[in-house]
Amino acid sequence: MSTRPEILFPLFAALETLGGIGPKTAKSLETLGITLPRDLLFWLPTAGIDRKFRASVTEVQAGDMATVEVEVGAHRPGRTRSAPYRVEVRDALSTFELVFFHASSRWLTQQLPEGAKRVISGKVEHFEGRVQIVHPDFILPPHEADHIPDFEPVYRLTAGVTGRTMIKGIGDALSRLPMLQEWIDPELKAREHWPDWHLAMSAAHTPAGPDDLSAQNPVRRRLAYDEFFAHQLTLALARAQVRRAKGRVSIGTGQLRDKVLAALPYKPTAAQTRAIGEIEQDLGAGLRMNRLLQGDVGAGKTLVALMSLLIAVEAGGQGVMMAPTEILARQHLEGIRAMAEVAGVVVEILTGRDKSAERRRKLAALKSGDIQILIGTHAVFQKDVEFQDLRLAVVDEQHRFGVAQRMQLGEKGQASDVLVMTATPIPRSLALAQYGDMDVSVLDEKPPGRKPIQTVLVSDNRLDEVVERLRRAISDGAQAYWVCPLVEESEVMDMTAAEERFKHLRAALGEGVVGLVHGQMPVSEKDAAMADFVAGRTRLLVSTTVIEVGVDVPAASIMVIERAEHFGLAQLHQLRGRVGRGEAASTCLLLYHAPLTATGEKRLSVMRDTEDGFVISEADLEMRGAGDVLGTAQSGLPRFWVADLEHQAGLMAVAQKDARLLLQQDPELTSPRGHAARVLLWLMRQDEAIRLISVG
């Protein structure tokens, strides 16, 4: 079914076909991402107004809504056009005023004739001892009172669209709701007490009270599940497509790996051994591997990556490892080369910096198979980079590479397997949303010898003590980082600029002891400052967050983070992970400026209480929301209209299991439920998935 099913046509018509929406309103709705009647259906209310009928305005607090029947009394027009026009009215228990500004007296006498009965709904206010409702939302004769909902849904709006227009447009879209066949597994639906799709959709837009707006309400959960299921079905189809593509069988002899393991000063952790086993199984299965290796800071991903690359080499092929930046690529080279040389494996690096002759030499060696493992930046994507037999591609810090680039990389080898590594612990629900097409290996223990890092919260009014303590530590041979919030001095935020802090610390600790690195510096200066610190020529490195990812200086054992309350949890966790890599016991000082906000305090206490990146990431998700945790702009997270990753996370895992199971039982989606699922994919605009089905 590669054309949209006819039953959905009314929901995919032009917005202007809905009542009350002309070209201008349609243009305004576009700024919210609403371009079809279908989108309006998924634009659920975010709040509601209680408009239940009351006997009198005296029953509600000032600031609340009241809907009451009144008898209209005297009109008191203002002396000038801009003065308020007041109308006295009486409900069952009290007399109060309706107040209008810039209103036409002719219109008011028609709407509110003296002596007539009217039903009024609006916000009750107290002004100079009098009760009043300014510009009531509804003024209706009693026989039309049922036009006022008991609980009125409130929608997020944009300039040029009023609440009334939104409600009218949505009402018209609801009148087009088709009766669709069920795509949810019947047992799951019964167990969760979920209504049918069309009933859920209309109930979501007619909430009876605040409980109906909660993410845990069965109606909302059902609609969220539909989105998660469509998303996971798309990923499962992509996964099936990859797995259908002929893979290579890469079975290693174990010889090279044994040499490396024998030379290691420690034993790999159980988690490392388990992950290597999962990867080895994938590589030998003859299906395309598409695996995510998720490990916390310092959990030993490099060893797992090297072992995986060695399997490819043992099987007679080559491997490539890609990093997002040159600094990281060079660091991987240092980390891997020494271990690989023990096994006699040739490792080389390719970056944008390679000059023409040098580059040609490397490309020739790669094509002839003389280079067995290549490490590089995105420079390895270029057309002229050819491998003799690429078996495995390892991609580091995945969130900088899109799915499309993963595919491109796979095309460099006949059927190369892909292993993606991330050092950012991602909550399970987000990992499923972002990497649901992949299989996941988790490194959840630290290698032996990684000492715990003591984390201390210190108010910045004790700055002098901190500097004094640093002086003592440095004279005892320690090295330290000092991370500053911002580079430029800005009036708006009284943050201490890195340059100011650098001058201050240099004055306190002496010339030549303190180095400086920040984002505005020329690359050569930055590299020189880093080199001085790595070599131990400088003992304290003042920096902005440029050191966050991947910088490895085992001798550094103290991390000071200034104005720590302004950093996100994930960032604090990454920064703290820069210390604790050597022999010395390490400390992380979180300097904060009192008083802390409740969120700031919670964030810093989480950091103090745990070093577990997964616990930290779940707390981060709870506090900031999915988009911010992954940085929505480049996160590759789908846009969910109804589903809420923070509060409905459990549904994502159910959806993944169900989607994979459905495809196992019905790979072509030809059963009745399979057909219903195809309709769901069209409804959710999952064009990619539909393309995969028609290709399949």
Side-chain angles (χ1 to χ4, degrees), residues 357-616:
E358 177 68 354
R359 185 179 166 83
R360 279 198 301 274
R361 182 189 67 72
K362 287 182 183 178
L363 293 182
L366 195 62
K367 197 172 173 177
S368 67
D370 291 344
I371 294 174
Q372 292 160 297
I373 295 176
L374 181 69
I375 294 176
T377 56
H378 52 264
V380 306
F381 277 135
Q382 286 155 353
K383 284 271 188 290
D384 60 351
V385 179
E386 291 176 60
F387 292 81
Q388 184 193 41
D389 179 12
L390 177 62
R391 299 278 184 120
L392 173 65
V394 178
V395 181
D396 187 17
E397 283 302 331
Q398 144 77 20
H399 53 261
R400 325 246 170 133
F401 294 112
V403 175
Q405 282 167 305
R406 282 210 304 252
M407 309 278 269
Q408 246 181 322
L409 196 59
E411 286 157 15
K412 285 272 177 206
Q414 280 175 292
S416 59
D417 290 306
V418 178
L419 175 67
V420 169
M421 301 199 298
T422 172
T424 317
I426 305 169
R428 179 136 190 263
S429 58
L430 294 193
L432 286 175
Q434 204 184 6
Y435 308 114
D437 59 327
M438 307 179 84
D439 300 300
V440 182
S441 296
V442 179
L443 297 182
D444 46 14
E445 41 185 323
K446 293 261 168 82
R450 284 295 298 240
K451 299 203 169 57
I453 301 167
Q454 189 193 3
T455 303
V456 189
L457 311 190
V458 183
S459 163
D460 60 9
N461 59 19
R462 293 171 55 197
L463 193 71
D464 294 344
E465 286 174 50
V466 172
V467 175
E468 189 44 48
R469 194 177 147 184
L470 261 182
R471 182 208 310 282
R472 286 203 301 275
I474 286 171
S475 65
D476 290 344
Q479 274 184 283
Y481 294 101
W482 187 298
V483 178
C484 300
L486 281 179
V487 179
E488 255 68 68
E489 198 68 271
S490 100
E491 279 89 35
V492 196
M493 300 159 90
D494 59 348
M495 301 280 198
T496 336
E499 302 186 331
E500 291 303 311
R501 178 57 68 219
F502 167 66
K503 286 178 200 154
H504 167 221
L505 290 168
R506 191 176 53 184
L509 303 171
E511 289 285 332
V513 176
V514 189
L516 171 68
V517 176
H518 62 66
Q520 321 298 16
M521 287 163 89
V523 179
S524 55
E525 281 181 37
K526 214 185 305 187
D527 287 352
M530 280 307 303
D532 282 343
F533 187 61
V534 172
R537 288 187 288 273
T538 51
R539 312 300 301 170
L540 173 66
L541 186 65
V542 176
S543 93
T544 53
T545 57
V546 290
I547 61 152
E548 177 188 340
V549 181
V551 178
D552 195 0
V553 182
S557 60
I558 300 169
M559 166 65 71
V560 180
I561 303 173
E562 196 171 343
R563 294 309 287 267
E565 73 274 18
H566 286 279
F567 291 92
L569 270 173
Q571 218 177 7
L572 289 170
H573 180 61
Q574 287 290 338
L575 287 167
R576 176 170 63 185
R578 297 303 107 220
V579 295
R581 293 168 169 252
E583 291 305 302
S586 293
T587 312
C588 174
L589 297 176
L590 301 176
L591 280 182
Y592 64 89
H593 185 69
L596 282 174
T597 61
T599 326
E601 191 167 342
K602 188 170 172 194
R603 215 182 282 147
L604 297 185
S605 331
V606 168
M607 286 299 296
R608 183 189 55 210
D609 299 341
T610 181
E611 267 192 78
D612 183 327
F614 291 96
V615 172
I616 289 171

Side-chain angles (χ1 to χ4, degrees), residues 1 27 29 64 106 232 258 278 280 330 364 424 519 605:
M1 177 171 50
K27 196 104 196 94
L29 284 168
D64 287 347
R106 206 169 106 230
Q232 287 297 334
D258 291 346
E278 289 167 345
E280 184 169 15
R330 292 195 180 282
T424 317
S605 331

Side-chain angles (χ1 to χ4, degrees), residues 228 232 428-429 432 648-658:
F228 286 156
Q232 287 297 334
R428 179 136 190 263
S429 58
L432 286 175
Q648 297 166 322
L651 288 177
M652 182 65 95
V654 179
Q656 185 192 54
K657 214 167 112 191
D658 197 16

